[in-house]
Amino acid sequence: MTYCVAMRLSSGLVFVSDSRTNAGVDHISTFRKLHVFHQSDERVLVIQSAGNLATTQSIISLLHRRCLDDERENLLNVASLYDAASLLGETVREVIARDSGANQGGNTDFSCNLLLGGQIKGEGLRLFHIYPQGNFIEATHDTPYFQIGESKYGKPIIDRVLSYDTALDQAMQCALISMDSTLRSNLSVGLPLDVMTYQTDSFSAAQQHRITETHPYFDMIRKGWGEGLLSIFGQLPPLKLDE
C-alpha cells in the first residue's frame, strides 16, 4: 500500500508521496513513487504511482526509455498535458496486458493508479488521475486535488482546509498533515516522503525534497498538530445528550 496526494492550485502544484512497499509484515522496502520529467524552460511533468510495484516500475522505465527516441511520441515532446495523460494511459494498458497475459490463471493483481501533474509551455497547470484501465479524469477548481493509495485517513483534513486559492506553502502543510494522519493509522504507509512544489510558469523542478524521521520541520508540525487537536478536544463543552 502507499499514499500519494497531488494538488492543483491557482499558484502552482503540490505533490507528496510516501515510499513504503510491502509484501507482508516481514518484507518491507523503500521505493521512490514520485518521478519527474523535465525540460528546462519548456515543461515539468510529475508522476506519482500506487499499486503493483512491478507494473509501476515497468511503466516508468518505458516512459524514460521512449524519451530517448525523438521520432516517437513521448513525455518530452507531446503537445499538451492531455496528450501526456493519454500516452500514460496507453502505457498502463500496455504493461498490464503484457504482464497479466503472461500470468494467465494466476491471482496476481497487476493494477495501478497514477497521478500526472505539471505544465507544458503554452498552457496552464493540469492534474490528472489515470486509472488501471488507462482512462483518466482531470482536477478542477471545485476538486483541486487527487489521492491514490491509502487515502481515507488523510482526506478529512484536506477537505476542511484546501481550496483552489490556498497558498502553496499552506497547501504543502495541509498535505504533510494529511500524510501524518495516514502514517499514524496505517503501517503500510511509511517514511521517507518525497515532496515537491511547482510554481506556475516557473518550469523549474528544483523544489524537490526528501523528508525522513529526523526532518526538523516535519517533526515540529506533527507534534504541533497532535497537541493542537488535544487542546481543542479538551475545550469542547460538557456532554449533554439529553437536552
Side-chain angles (χ1 to χ4, degrees):
M1 188 56 71
T2 188
Y3 177 46
C4 300
V5 58
M7 303 169 174
R8 195 206 76 171
L9 311 165
S10 59
S11 56
L13 295 157
V14 169
F15 305 92
V16 176
S17 301
D18 86 313
S19 60
R20 176 169 292 181
T21 63
N22 64 293
V25 294
D26 59 345
H27 188 187
I28 296 173
S29 302
T30 297
F31 288 93
R32 186 176 178 88
K33 303 170 190 174
L34 189 153
H35 311 273
V36 179
F37 293 76
H38 177 220
Q39 277 187 334
S40 297
D41 302 321
E42 205 276 328
R43 69 184 61 204
V44 174
L45 281 70
V46 180
I47 297 174
Q48 294 167 285
S49 59
N52 184 287
L53 182 61
T55 299
T56 58
Q57 285 191 336
S58 290
I59 291 168
I60 298 300
S61 294
L62 276 175
L63 293 170
H64 276 295
R65 189 175 73 188
R66 290 169 179 174
C67 284
L68 301 176
D69 184 358
D70 292 335
E71 296 183 359
R72 180 171 189 165
E73 186 179 55
N74 61 65
L75 291 181
L76 297 184
N77 63 23
V78 292
S80 70
L81 256 296
Y82 182 91
D83 294 327
S86 296
L87 177 62
L88 188 49
E90 292 171 6
T91 309
V92 169
R93 287 193 295 267
E94 175 187 349
V95 171
I96 292 178
R98 180 199 68 193
D99 292 351
S100 61
N103 191 57
Q104 292 182 358
N107 296 318
T108 302
D109 181 4
F110 291 96
S111 67
C112 68
N113 284 266
L114 303 172
L115 301 181
L116 169 68
Q119 185 177 21
I120 294 176
K121 198 166 187 177
E123 66 175 9
L125 303 172
R126 302 183 80 171
L127 174 65
F128 296 88
H129 179 175
I130 293 92
Y131 295 100
Q133 296 79 13
N135 58 332
F136 51 85
I137 60 174
E138 184 171 4
T140 66
H141 287 210
D142 294 326
T143 307
Y145 77 93
F146 288 135
Q147 301 167 287
I148 53 176
E150 188 56 88
S151 60
K152 58 182 176 290
Y153 302 108
K155 191 175 190 300
I157 176 61
I158 300 177
D159 287 339
R160 287 180 179 273
V161 171
L162 193 75
S163 73
Y164 179 72
D165 293 316
T166 301
L168 274 181
D169 286 352
Q170 289 181 323
M172 178 57 78
Q173 290 173 327
C174 177
L176 291 175
I177 293 171
S178 172
M179 180 63 75
D180 176 57
S181 298
T182 307
L183 292 170
R184 288 179 177 273
S185 299
N186 194 314
L187 292 176
S188 69
V189 178
L191 294 164
L193 310 179
D194 291 304
V195 308
M196 178 176 173
T197 56
Y198 172 79
Q199 189 169 4
T200 305
D201 295 330
S202 68
F203 298 103
S204 169
Q207 293 302 312
Q208 299 182 56
H209 306 278
R210 173 154 278 207
I211 294 177
T212 66
E213 287 278 6
T214 58
H215 194 282
Y217 180 76
F218 187 54
D219 184 57
M220 179 184 69
I221 65 169
R222 295 180 82 177
K223 290 180 179 177
W225 178 251
E227 292 169 358
L229 284 176
L230 289 174
S231 176
I232 294 296
F233 187 79
Q235 296 174 37
L236 293 175
L239 185 66
K240 295 181 181 180
L241 298 180
D242 294 330
E243 291 185 350

